[in-house]
Amino acid sequence: MSALAALDAERIKLSTTRSPLWSVVGVAVLSFGVAALQGWSAYGSAPLAPGSAALGVAVFGVPVLMVLASMTVTGEYRTGLIRTTFLTTPDRTVVLIAKALVCAAFSSVCAVVMVLGAVLVARLFAGQVIGAELSVTNPVTWRVAGGFALYAALAAVLGVAVGALLRFAAGAVAVLLLWPLVAEPLLGNMPNSGIDFGPWLPFANMLRFLDVEWLFRGYAMPWGELGSLLYFVVLVLVVFVAAVVVLNRRDA
């Protein structure tokens, strides 16, 4: 099977499964709820930034999309479909790249929709002054949406790689959720050493690139915003290459 055929096969698998769609709908509702709270609770004379309105997408939306990407691999191992996939496309590297590309495209589109929706929801609940910048006609909104699309695409590739390395859904879900939502905030906020760990945390770097503050301190990243993005990209590439090597060396 050619690379294009493998891409089409992965697209069909993803589009004909209902669970990803319902999961995206659920996390979108949660992200919109956070946006509503952001707009409703904001006060002062400074407008709420589109990036702040999209906080729920960064904290909940992208991690769930990352988990869904991992399940495109772990689900096939659970059902045994992975053997058929490898029989159809013997080149396992092509299979993993196809899965990563399809998941990256799906996740980036979902991220853009969720960011735009979050901005509109926050605008509904914000006052006139607070919501002055919350508009889909604001160029800043589209820059934020583009940054989140890139984040979601990279996170999806990471999810596919972790799924291929672990092969079990429970393990992949635990790693992909506990890593950005528990482990990094704990390490980054340790009283004595958090300031030292902070600049080396991958998701903290990505959130710094997006200019989204959640549970992280204002770390002084020595490499700047672009360096933070490159740091996260390098991590994703290293994990993905490791997944390709492992996948080609072990049995299905």
Side-chain angles (χ1 to χ4, degrees):
M1 182 182 289
S2 66
L4 290 178
L7 275 172
D8 193 48
E10 296 303 327
R11 178 191 62 80
I12 293 172
K13 291 177 188 177
L14 186 62
S15 61
T16 55
T17 306
R18 292 185 178 181
S19 56
L21 176 61
W22 287 112
S23 298
V24 170
V25 170
V27 77
V29 171
L30 181 60
S31 299
F32 295 161
V34 174
L37 288 174
Q38 291 283 99
W40 177 72
S41 62
Y43 61 92
S45 58
L48 183 67
S52 298
L55 175 66
V57 182
V59 176
F60 302 111
V62 174
V64 169
L65 291 172
M66 184 166 55
V67 168
L68 289 176
S70 74
M71 293 176 67
T72 62
V73 181
T74 60
E76 290 200 27
Y77 275 105
R78 178 177 57 83
T79 60
L81 180 62
I82 194 69
R83 295 184 179 87
T84 303
T85 299
F86 288 154
L87 284 174
T88 306
T89 310
D91 191 335
R92 299 185 177 190
T93 302
V94 170
V95 171
L96 202 63
I97 291 175
K99 286 183 180 294
L101 290 176
V102 169
C103 289
F106 174 77
S107 296
S108 61
V109 171
C110 290
V112 170
V113 172
M114 283 192 282
V115 167
L116 297 180
V119 168
L120 293 176
V121 169
R123 178 68 182 88
L124 289 174
F125 287 85
Q128 185 175 1
V129 175
I130 298 298
E133 295 183 1
L134 300 177
S135 170
V136 294
T137 61
N138 185 354
V140 175
T141 299
W142 288 99
R143 286 199 292 271
V144 171
F148 273 76
L150 178 59
Y151 176 30
L154 292 170
V157 174
L158 181 61
V160 169
V162 171
L165 286 170
L166 299 182
R167 300 199 291 182
F168 298 103
V173 170
V175 169
L176 293 172
L177 290 184
L178 293 179
W179 182 359
L181 300 180
V182 178
E184 287 203 6
L186 285 176
L187 290 173
N189 288 286
M190 293 178 68
N192 297 322
S193 55
I195 198 68
D196 297 321
F197 282 120
W200 303 100
L201 300 175
F203 286 93
N205 272 272
M206 195 62 206
L207 292 181
R208 181 61 57 204
F209 168 74
L210 296 173
D211 196 23
V212 173
E213 293 187 9
W214 180 43
L215 296 178
F216 298 102
R217 300 177 181 176
Y219 303 118
M221 302 298 188
W223 35 76
E225 291 184 358
L226 182 58
S228 292
L229 172 63
L230 293 176
Y231 182 85
F232 191 76
V233 169
V234 169
L235 169 81
V236 172
L237 289 177
V238 168
V239 177
F240 189 79
V241 169
V244 169
V245 172
V246 171
L247 188 66
N248 280 285
R249 288 186 175 180
R250 68 185 177 193
D251 295 334

